[in-house]
Amino acid sequence: MIALNQKTKQKRILISAKKMFTIVPLVVLASCGEGYADLRGFVKDQEKLPRRIEPLPLVQSFQPFSYDGFDLPDPFRPRKLTVKQDANANGLAPDLNRRKEPLEAYPLEQLKMVGTIVQGNVMYALVRADKTLYRIKKGNYLGQNFGLITDVTDTEIKLKEIVQDTAGDWAERESALPLVEGTGGK
């Protein structure tokens, strides 16, 4: 009888488990249907709205534009190389058609006077630019500001530079390149 009771209990547990496995999924599925109520309401509301589509905006025709700024001076250039027609009443302007000398490619700050040589009656200055040594005399040009050498002495090179100011006028200034002491031929 005890064995019969145990078998009956096992059958009841088995039947209860089967009922649970069928009832639980049904409850879950029933609860899912309630989650779409707001979505269904939104769709119904949208169906009630008028179905009018706004027309596209009119396409405007393209208006070509001619850029005339190529003839204007470049604002990023440090100096203007064109001379204004009536700007320099004193006639001071560099000769832009003159062939440039090798030392005019260097700024004055990069040039070093390292010595002098006298040949005949002419005194020459020895100037180092990078690793090259140049021999120059009075009348040669030096630096990037149209610097004309006016005198060569044992201690310096004197020159007159022609620079352009912000108004475009050319002005003359005097500069000097002093002898560098203790170069030791280097």
Side-chain angles (χ1 to χ4, degrees):
M1 183 135 157
I2 294 177
L4 190 57
N5 272 345
Q6 282 184 347
K7 280 188 178 183
T8 313
K9 281 184 181 180
Q10 286 178 352
K11 279 186 180 181
R12 284 184 189 169
I13 291 174
L14 190 60
I15 291 172
S16 297
K18 284 183 182 178
K19 286 180 184 177
M20 288 289 276
F21 284 121
T22 31
I23 292 175
V24 169
L26 289 175
V27 171
V28 170
L29 285 174
S31 66
C32 288
E34 293 173 10
Y36 294 114
D38 59 339
L39 181 62
R40 287 186 184 122
F42 174 77
V43 170
K44 284 183 182 179
D45 290 342
Q46 294 301 315
E47 288 174 351
K48 292 177 186 176
L49 293 176
R51 297 186 183 237
R52 187 172 146 227
I53 298 174
E54 296 292 325
L56 292 175
L58 294 175
V59 177
Q60 296 177 356
S61 62
F62 173 72
Q63 298 293 329
F65 175 75
S66 174
Y67 178 71
D68 298 327
F70 294 112
D71 298 333
L72 297 174
D74 186 1
F76 300 106
R77 301 283 313 239
R79 67 178 104 103
K80 304 171 199 161
L81 293 179
T82 58
V83 180
K84 294 194 284 186
Q85 302 288 332
D86 56 350
N88 293 319
N90 60 2
L92 182 65
D95 182 9
L96 299 175
N97 297 322
R98 177 184 54 80
R99 174 176 265 176
K100 298 278 187 177
E101 295 184 15
L103 289 176
E104 288 185 273
Y106 300 96
L108 206 55
E109 295 81 26
Q110 289 183 359
L111 302 174
K112 292 181 178 32
M113 177 183 176
V114 294
T116 57
I117 297 175
V118 178
Q119 289 182 336
N121 291 337
V122 180
M123 179 174 277
Y124 291 94
L126 299 174
V127 176
R128 182 181 308 278
D130 289 333
K131 295 181 180 180
T132 309
L133 195 62
Y134 295 91
R135 184 181 74 163
I136 58 173
K137 62 180 180 170
K138 180 179 176 178
N140 287 120
Y141 287 86
L142 188 69
Q144 293 179 331
N145 291 324
F146 308 102
L148 176 66
I149 299 174
T150 57
D151 193 20
V152 176
T153 65
D154 290 334
T155 58
E156 68 181 357
I157 302 170
K158 294 179 183 177
L159 54 132
K160 286 187 180 180
E161 295 180 309
I162 300 176
V163 294
Q164 196 172 32
D165 61 11
T166 55
D169 295 329
W170 293 99
E172 192 172 75
R173 72 175 179 199
E174 294 197 12
S175 299
L177 185 64
L179 176 68
V180 177
E181 303 269 339
T183 57
K186 291 183 181 178

